[in-house]
Amino acid sequence: TLLVIGANGQIGTALLPRLQAQFGMQHVVAADLRKPQTETGIFELLDATKPDALVDIVRRYRVTQIYHLAAILSAKGESDPIWAWNLNMQTSLNVLEVARLHGIRKVFVPSSIAAFGEHAPKDGTPQSTLLDPATVYGISKVATENWLLYYHKRYGLDVRSLRYPGVISYQSMPGGGTTDYAVAIFHEAVREQPYTCFLAPDTLLPMIYMDDALRATLELMDAPEDRISVRTSYNLAGMSFTPAELTAAIQRHFPAFTVRYEPDFRQVIADSWPRSIDDSVARHDWGWQPAFDLTSMTQEMITRLTAFHNTLIPTL
Ligand code: VAH
């Protein structure tokens, strides 16, 4: 059985149906702090900061793989640093300890481009470089990467991880991230409303469309163990663009769409991150290859959200 912790989050919401399709409804357990609006398949309430609650689910469902997708993201974490650190680390360490003690075969814990800080090269950021993150979220991800490596070397745990860029998806509303502008902007565009962007128009950031992020995750998890050379976290790239470039791509579908730029505290976070990522190690080790670029991602997001918003309008 596979356990998805943080199943209601941005990644979890989109990954769950893929895992259910691949492994069968009865072999996937979704867990989160609160019940989702619509439950499809097995759902368990879980506070992953509580080890006993995690052990109980692992035992009851004979869990063999864990996807730990619960974390406080970059922007939200800055509002309460110690709370964010404790939640991100306690959950990750609980997952690693339970995995070690209960014979879990594989563990996926994502990292992020937020792990990079001001001393990492900004363009083509390499797999191995100094990590001096600017946010609590980034600090917790660097610590988590080092714990993943530790549990692999000391206990032989098959840990796997990806440094996700900003992930763009239609399946959930954005929450707490610095790259969330790239999701929120589409919701305003399809509602034919203007959007106020909290980053400056020339803020170049590494991004990835959710379909690519999910495929990378499943391809990494399916890769033979002897292909895995990175046990901290793999760099992963999809594309890089600025808010101005995204706006122009959207305006090809909605010519009247307008954006105002009002940078806030998230600009400082974004400026500490890479502008583009070198994912050549992932390409070499397990054949990573992105499929979506700015044009195809924009088309897909607008198609999906237009359908979604049209279903909403009659009920409004
Ligand atoms: C965030 N979407 O903005 C997340 C992610 C690289 C960005 O870590 O915090």
Side-chain angles (χ1 to χ4, degrees), residues 253-268:
H253 300 264
F254 297 93
F257 177 59
T258 60
V259 175
R260 282 207 341 255
Y261 296 96
E262 293 181 4
D264 66 13
F265 74 99
R266 287 167 284 195
Q267 186 65 48
V268 173

Side-chain angles (χ1 to χ4, degrees), residues 73-74 112-114 137 164-166 177-180 273:
L73 297 180
S74 61
S112 162
I113 58 166
Y137 172 69
Y164 288 137
T178 299
T179 58
D180 290 342
W273 290 351

Side-chain angles (χ1 to χ4, degrees), residues 2-309:
L2 288 76
L3 171 61
V4 179
I5 301 171
N8 297 348
Q10 181 189 18
I11 309 292
T13 300
L15 180 64
L16 188 64
R18 295 286 182 98
L19 293 177
Q20 289 169 330
Q22 184 173 343
F23 296 94
M25 284 292 200
Q26 70 284 13
H27 294 298
V28 180
V29 177
D32 210 309
L33 280 171
R34 283 176 299 282
K35 284 186 178 299
Q37 270 102 343
T38 54
E39 270 181 60
T40 52
I42 307 167
F43 181 88
E44 289 282 346
L45 287 173
L46 170 65
D47 174 352
T49 62
K50 302 198 177 340
D52 297 349
L54 182 54
V55 169
D56 172 53
I57 288 178
V58 165
R59 279 216 183 105
R60 242 184 319 131
Y61 290 98
R62 286 194 291 283
V63 171
T64 55
Q65 287 190 39
I66 298 179
Y67 285 79
H68 175 31
L69 304 174
I72 303 302
L73 297 180
S74 61
K76 190 167 171 195
E78 294 307 292
S79 64
D80 189 340
I82 302 306
W83 165 72
W85 166 261
N86 285 333
L87 191 150
N88 290 4
M89 297 317 297
Q90 283 165 11
T91 56
S92 297
L93 286 170
N94 284 343
V95 165
L96 291 171
E97 269 298 274
V98 166
R100 169 174 82 86
L101 295 168
H102 295 268
I104 303 284
R105 282 213 308 274
K106 261 184 224 175
V107 175
F108 179 78
V109 184
S111 180
S112 162
I113 58 166
F116 297 108
E118 65 174 293
H119 290 99
K122 286 271 186 251
D123 301 299
T125 307
Q127 175 67 49
S128 298
T129 185
L130 176 64
L131 300 176
D132 49 357
T135 61
V136 173
Y137 172 69
I139 294 167
S140 75
K141 285 305 182 184
V142 171
T144 299
E145 289 189 12
N146 287 311
W147 276 113
L148 291 175
L149 178 60
Y150 182 87
Y151 270 74
H152 177 70
K153 284 172 29 182
R154 176 152 179 187
Y155 305 114
L157 193 60
D158 186 357
V159 297
R160 306 199 183 187
S161 181
L162 295 169
R163 288 169 180 159
Y164 288 137
V167 178
I168 295 161
S169 63
Y170 62 88
Q171 292 92 332
S172 62
M173 290 308 285
T178 299
T179 58
D180 290 342
Y181 87 87
V183 174
I185 193 170
F186 281 104
H187 288 268
E188 297 311 313
V190 300
R191 291 171 60 234
E192 311 213 6
Q193 299 291 321
Y195 177 63
T196 301
C197 182
F198 54 74
L199 296 182
D202 61 347
T203 309
L204 183 61
L205 286 172
M207 300 280 191
I208 192 166
Y209 184 54
M210 178 63 86
D211 282 24
D212 273 347
L214 296 180
R215 182 168 53 81
T217 305
L218 295 174
E219 286 175 5
L220 171 62
M221 289 298 269
D222 290 345
E225 188 155 7
D226 60 9
R227 299 306 309 262
I228 309 294
S229 73
V230 173
R231 294 293 184 169
T232 47
S233 189
Y234 277 95
N235 279 9
L236 182 72
M239 58 188 108
S240 288
F241 56 74
T242 65
E245 289 166 332
L246 178 55
T247 299
I250 292 172
Q251 285 168 335
R252 281 200 279 282
H253 300 264
F254 297 93
F257 177 59
T258 60
V259 175
R260 282 207 341 255
Y261 296 96
E262 293 181 4
D264 66 13
F265 74 99
R266 287 167 284 195
Q267 186 65 48
V268 173
I269 295 174
D271 289 344
S272 73
W273 290 351
R275 287 189 286 267
S276 64
I277 297 287
D278 171 358
D279 61 358
S280 52
V281 178
R283 291 167 185 260
H284 170 267
D285 284 5
W286 42 276
W288 169 242
Q289 180 73 31
F292 283 85
D293 62 10
L294 178 57
T295 303
S296 53
M297 180 271 289
T298 300
Q299 173 66 63
E300 176 72 6
M301 280 291 284
I302 288 172
T303 302
R304 297 284 186 168
L305 285 178
T306 306
F308 172 77
H309 280 272

